[in-house]
Amino acid sequence: MSTSQIQGWLLLTNDDGIEAVGMKLLVEALNDRGHKVVVFAPSNNQSATGMRINLMTPLNWRFRNDLKSQWNVNDENLHLIELDGTPCDTMIVALDKGLQHILPEVIPRLVISGVNLGPNMSQDSYHSGTMGAAREAGLYGMPAIASSLTSFDDEGMQKAVDATVQLIERAIEILPMVPENLRRPSVDISKPHVSRWPIIEDKPAWSDNPIEALRTAFRNGELMLNINTPPTWNGEFQTTRLGMRWYRDAISFAENSDNENTATFTIGAASIDHTPVESSDCDAVMMDKSSISCLPTWPQTHPLAIDDRLLTWCLQSGEENYPIWLKI
C-alpha cells in the first residue's frame, strides 16, 4: 500500500472482547503493514448480543496500553480502548463524538468488526454482535466490514486475519481519506442506489452505472461487507449471498430437582443442517473459500434501503473473485 492510502485511521471493534485472539492478530497484522489503528472494543465477551445497547447507563472506558507490551506491535499510530458495553455501544460511543472527545486527531476511514471466533453466515447475521457493530457503524454513515473465522477453534485464526487484511486493503482503495457521511450530516433519498419503494421504476436511476451506485452505497454506510473465512482457507475468495443453515435441537432442558415447577433451558444447537444455495456463504466456506457477502444496512421498506434489483449486482465478481464494484 502507498503512504497516501494508509493515512486514514481504521476503527476496530468486535464482540469477543478486546483481549480476544482475533483482535490481537488483526491489530498486529494491520500495525505491521503501517496502518493507523484505533480499537474501541468491549471490555469482555459480548457474543450473540446482536444490536443490543445499554440505554441511560453510564459506560466506563479505559485505554489498554498494557496490551501493547503483550502484543507484537509498534506503539506509533495505535490506540487501544475498551468500553464496558456491547459491540453496538462501542460504535455509538465512538462515532457519536466519543472518539472525537478522547482522541480529537482520529477520524476513522473504515470500521472493521472482528475477527470473530465462530461463523456469521445465514441467520447468524441477525444474532451476531460482530455483525451488529458493523451494521450500527453503517447507520452512522460509515463504511464497515464484519469478519469471522468459521470455527470456534482459534487454530485457524491467522488465515481469517490474512483474508480480512486483503479485503480491507482492497476496500480502502475506493474510500476517501475522510468519510463522506459520518453521522449523516445530510440525508439524500434521491441517490441512485436508494430504493424508490413502493414505486417501481421502469429504468432505475442506478441502471447507467450500477458499479458506482454500489460504491456510493458502501461509502455512505448503506451497504456493508461480511467476510467468513474457514480455517482450511485455500487462498481463494468468492462473492456470495447469505445461505441457509438450520440449528436443530437448539435447546437442552433440565428439571430443577428442588422445585418441580421450574426448569433450566440452555440454548446451543446440537446439530446444524445445511441447505445448498448457489453462490451462498455457507456453500463457499464448505469449498474452503473465503466468502464475501454484500449486505444492506437498512431493512427493506426503509427510505434508505438499497434497490432490490441493484443488489443482484452484488453477486457479480471481478478480479480475484472480489465483488465487482471493489475492482480497482
Side-chain angles (χ1 to χ4, degrees):
M1 303 295 292
S2 69
T3 302
S4 63
Q5 290 167 336
I6 59 175
Q7 286 178 350
W9 287 84
L10 302 177
L11 173 59
L12 274 57
T13 190
N14 67 0
D15 73 359
D16 291 328
I18 194 169
E19 296 186 24
V21 64
M23 178 64 75
K24 172 183 179 291
L25 293 178
L26 183 58
V27 169
E28 289 178 342
L30 292 170
N31 180 263
D32 181 64
R33 294 180 66 80
H35 292 281
K36 296 180 179 180
V37 173
V38 56
V39 174
F40 211 106
S43 56
N44 53 34
N45 193 305
Q46 296 285 326
S47 293
T49 52
M51 296 193 73
R52 183 172 71 84
I53 60 175
N54 288 290
L55 292 174
M56 307 304 294
T57 303
L59 303 173
N60 294 321
W61 69 274
R62 292 166 293 276
F63 282 113
R64 289 298 309 272
N65 293 329
D66 58 302
L67 294 177
K68 294 181 181 180
S69 61
Q70 301 173 34
W71 296 356
N72 183 23
V73 293
N74 183 333
D75 186 52
E76 187 177 1
N77 294 324
L78 175 63
H79 301 289
L80 305 178
I81 301 169
E82 68 177 13
L83 183 78
D84 293 338
T86 67
C88 277
D89 287 335
T90 67
M91 289 298 92
I92 293 172
V93 172
L95 298 175
D96 208 347
K97 299 188 178 180
L99 186 58
Q100 179 179 317
H101 176 78
I102 298 169
L103 298 168
E105 75 280 9
V106 173
I107 301 176
R109 183 183 188 187
L110 173 67
V111 167
I112 303 98
S113 184
V115 176
N116 185 66
L117 186 64
N120 279 314
M121 304 179 293
S122 188
Q123 67 262 44
D124 297 336
S125 60
Y126 286 93
H127 301 299
S128 165
T130 301
M131 299 288 292
R135 188 172 289 111
E136 188 68 56
L139 300 185
Y140 271 84
M142 283 293 296
I145 297 172
S147 175
S148 303
L149 171 71
T150 63
S151 169
F152 291 102
D153 184 343
D154 62 17
E155 185 174 342
M157 183 61 77
Q158 188 60 56
K159 287 193 174 184
V161 168
D162 293 343
T164 303
V165 170
Q166 290 183 44
L167 179 60
I168 291 169
E169 294 188 340
R170 176 60 66 106
I172 61 177
E173 293 277 0
I174 65 166
L175 293 177
M177 204 61 64
V178 176
E180 298 175 349
N181 200 31
L182 177 57
R183 294 189 292 276
R184 298 188 177 272
S186 62
V187 177
D188 183 2
I189 62 172
S190 68
K191 288 187 176 181
H193 65 272
V194 176
S195 172
R196 303 298 190 258
W197 188 89
I199 298 170
I200 300 177
E201 299 173 308
D202 292 334
K203 187 177 188 300
W206 53 262
S207 58
D208 290 334
N209 196 342
I211 304 303
E212 186 56 33
L214 288 170
R215 287 180 174 178
T216 301
F218 181 61
R219 293 182 187 124
N220 284 268
E222 269 90 63
L223 187 71
M224 58 182 279
L225 290 169
N226 182 35
I227 179 171
N228 281 272
T229 306
T232 52
W233 183 44
N234 61 12
E236 297 181 15
F237 294 96
Q238 183 174 340
T239 300
T240 60
R241 60 180 294 182
L242 293 180
M244 289 198 292
R245 59 204 309 256
W246 311 102
Y247 293 96
R248 307 299 186 188
D249 301 315
I251 64 168
S252 58
F253 170 80
E255 292 185 351
N256 190 327
S257 59
D258 297 329
N259 187 338
E260 62 181 13
N261 295 318
T262 63
T264 299
F265 293 96
T266 302
I267 298 176
S271 63
I272 301 175
D273 289 344
H274 166 240
T275 301
V277 175
E278 185 178 358
S279 300
S280 88
D281 50 7
C282 304
D283 295 83
V285 300
M286 290 181 70
M287 295 186 289
D288 295 330
K289 297 180 181 180
S290 183
S291 159
I292 303 175
S293 302
C294 309
L295 305 179
T297 301
W298 301 94
Q300 293 308 94
T301 76
H302 189 280
L304 288 174
I306 298 176
D307 189 291
D308 280 342
R309 289 172 291 178
L310 177 59
L311 285 174
T312 64
W313 280 83
C314 289
L315 282 175
Q316 301 294 318
S317 58
E319 294 176 353
E320 301 177 39
N321 290 323
Y322 288 103
I324 193 170
W325 55 271
L326 282 177
K327 181 178 179 180
I328 302 167

